[in-house]
Amino acid sequence: MTGLTNPLLFARFAHMHPSRCQSLPMRIRVGTVLGLASAAAALGVAHLLAGLVGRAESSPVLAVGSATIDLVPRWLKEFAIDTFGTADKLVLLIGIVVVVAVLAVVVGVASVRRPEIGFASLALAGAIGVIAALSRPSAQPIDALPALVGAAAGAMTLRLLHRRLFGQASNTESDRIAPTSLDGVSRRRFLAGGAVALGVAAAAGVTGQFLSRRSQAVASRARVGVPSTVASAAPVPAGAELGIDGLSPFTTPNADFYRIDTALLVPTMTAEEWRLRVHGMVDQELTIDFEQLQARPLIERDVTLACVSNEVGGDLIGNARWVGAPIADVLADVGVDPAATQLVSTSVDGFTVGTPVSALTDGRDAMLAFAMNGEPLPIEHGFPVRMVVPGLYGYVSATKWVVDFELTTFEAFDPYWVRRGWAEQAPIKTQSRIDTPRSGGQVQAGEVVVAGMAWAQHVGIARVEVRADDGEWAEAELAEEDTIDTWRQWKLTIRLGRGARRLQVRATDAEGVTQPESRAEPFPDGAAGWHSVLIDVA
Ligand SMILES: Nc1nc2c(c(=O)[nH]1)N[C@H]1C(S)=C(S)[C@@H](COP(=O)(O)O)O[C@H]1N2
Ligand SMILES: [Mo]
C-alpha cells in the first residue's frame, strides 16, 4: 500500500525504461497495484450493494467471516475467544482482509503478464463469496448478488488497468511475451487509474458500511418488542383533543415529530449492541444492556418535548407517549454522591448533555425511554434508547442514542451546547401559540375560531387569553389536561370585523405566572414573548 502513496516510487516508474517492466521487481510493483485495486473494487462494490439492498450479512467479507466461524473447530473458536475476547470477530475480519490482500498481490503479480489468472481468481473469489452468503441460515437468493457484482467490478477494474498498462492489444500473445508500450505515459495512466479505482472502492465501502449499519439498526428495531409489564399511563382524555381543523394534534405522530440533532449521519446501533455505563461520582458503577433495561420497573408517560431553538410560534415541539425506565431508579442503584450536581449523558456519536441531578430525582418522570407512541424509538429519535425529562429543553435533557451517564458537577464539565454559549440550566419557558388562523391567512368577517397550543412544562396551564389588535383579552376554552408535562389545546370564537387584524395569545401557568410580553430570542435559554398572527378579515 505504501507504494501507492509514495510519490518517489511513482517517479521511479516514470523513469524506468520499458524493457525493465519485464524485471521481477517492476512486475511486483505493477502487480501489487493491479491486484490490490481490483480486489478493493470487488469488495468495495460488494459491500455497497449489500448495504443498498439492506442485506448487510451478504457482504462477502462478513459472509466469509460468518461461514468461517461455523466451520472452524471448537478448540480454535475457544482459543480465539480466550486470546482476543470480545475483539475476536474484529480480529477475524481483519484476518480475512489481510489474507485477501496477500492473495490479491500474488494474483496481481501473476496477472501482469497473464491477466486470465486474475479473471479466474476473481471468478473463484466471487463463487466463494456467493456460497458463503447463501450458506447463512437466514439467506435469501438476493444474497448472491453482492459477491457476483463485486467480482464483476473487480474484473472490470483489472481489465481497465491492464489496458492502461499495455494498451488495447494486451491480450495478444506477443504482448504477453514482450510488452512494448510500457512507457512513462502508460505507467502514469496506470497509476492514476489504480488510485481512482482505490478511491472509488473506498467510497463504495464506506457508503456500504453506513447503509449496512442502518439496515442492521432497522432490523434490530423490528426485533425488539415493547414489554407489557409497564406501569401504563391513563389513556389520553378524550377532551384533550378539540377536533379543530388546522390545530396540532395532541399526540404528535412519530413521522411528524420535529427532529433536532448534530448528527450528519444518523447514529445507527442495534439494541443488542447497546450498553449504558453509569459512572463518575457514584458508590458503585453499573452497566445496563437492553434486556436488563427492559426488565427494570417501567413507566409509560406522555411528555411534551421542546427545543430551545423554538421561536415564539415555532414548531420545534411535539408530544408523545414514551415507555422507559425511571432514571431515578438507576441513580438509586448506583448510589449518587450528594456532591454530584450534574449528570452528563453522552450519545454513541459523542454528543454531550448536562442535566441537573435534582431534575432527575425530584419525582418527575425522567426516563431512559425506548418506545415512542407504541413503537420502538424511531432511529432518528434515538433508537435504541434516549433520555426524556419533563420540563427541560432537549439540549439539557433529551440525549438520543445515549450510552454513557457520568455523575459530576456543573463546575467540572461543560457539555456540547453549553460550550457554545447556551445556558447551563434550561427549563422550558411557558409558551402559547396560535395554530389557526395561520399568519397571512384570510378569514370571513363574523365569528372566527382561533385555536392553538399552550404549555407550561411540569407546572401546567391555568389560563390562555387571546385578543384582537389592542382590544380586551378574552379567555379561551382549554382542552382537558392530560398531565402537567404535556401541552394543551385551546380555542376561542371571536367576532372580527373586516380589515387587517392582529391576533395575540398569552398563557398563565398553574402558579399564576403569565408569559411576559417582552420578546427574547432563543439564545441563550429559550424564546419568550407573546405569539401574534396577522390576518386579513374579508
Ligand atoms: N445524541 C443527540 N441527542 C440529542 C441531540 C443531539 O444533537 N444529539 N439534540 C438534542 C436537542 S437540541 C433536542 S431539542 C432533542 C430533539 O429530539 P427529537 O429529535 O427526538 O425531537 O434531542 C436532543 N438530543
Ligand atoms: Mo434543541
Side-chain angles (χ1 to χ4, degrees), residues 257-262 305 307 347 349 351 381 386 394-395 398-401:
F257 209 95
Y258 81 97
R259 174 189 161 202
I260 296 283
D261 51 62
T262 59
L305 227 63
C307 182
S347 68
D349 63 336
F351 177 77
H381 293 291
R386 76 175 302 167
Y395 83 103
T399 317
K400 303 191 271 189
W401 316 288

Side-chain angles (χ1 to χ4, degrees), residues 146-209:
L148 284 178
V149 177
M156 270 172 59
T157 307
L158 178 61
R159 197 168 109 104
L160 284 171
L161 290 179
H162 209 268
R163 284 197 171 171
R164 289 200 158 201
L165 206 49
F166 298 117
Q168 298 291 334
S170 68
N171 287 336
T172 67
E173 192 64 24
S174 60
D175 265 318
R176 235 183 256 156
I177 295 159
T180 50
S181 57
L182 192 58
D183 52 20
V185 175
S186 297
R187 286 196 296 271
R188 278 193 292 277
R189 275 165 46 86
F190 168 76
L191 286 173
V196 168
L198 281 169
V200 170
V206 168
T207 310
Q209 183 61 12

Side-chain angles (χ1 to χ4, degrees), residues 257-263 267 305-309 316-318 322 346-353 372 377-378 380-382 386-387 392-402 416-417:
F257 209 95
Y258 81 97
R259 174 189 161 202
I260 296 283
D261 51 62
T262 59
L305 227 63
C307 182
V308 69
S309 298
L316 299 179
I317 177 164
W322 313 91
T346 307
S347 68
V348 69
D349 63 336
F351 177 77
T352 50
V353 160
M372 179 178 185
L377 276 183
E380 291 72 18
H381 293 291
R386 76 175 302 167
M387 283 173 69
L392 304 182
Y393 285 121
Y395 83 103
V396 292
S397 72
T399 317
K400 303 191 271 189
W401 316 288
V402 64
Y416 188 91
W417 285 115

Side-chain angles (χ1 to χ4, degrees), residues 7 17 56 90 96 99 153-154 169 201 215 235 245 257 347 381 413 454 466 479 519:
H17 189 272
L90 183 65
I96 291 172
V99 168
S215 73
D245 266 1
F257 209 95
S347 68
H381 293 291
F413 185 82
V466 176
R519 282 278 179 145

Side-chain angles (χ1 to χ4, degrees), residues 41 130 206 237-238 254 331 344 379 400 469:
V130 168
V206 168
N254 290 352
L331 297 185
V344 173
I379 296 193
K400 303 191 271 189
D469 301 316

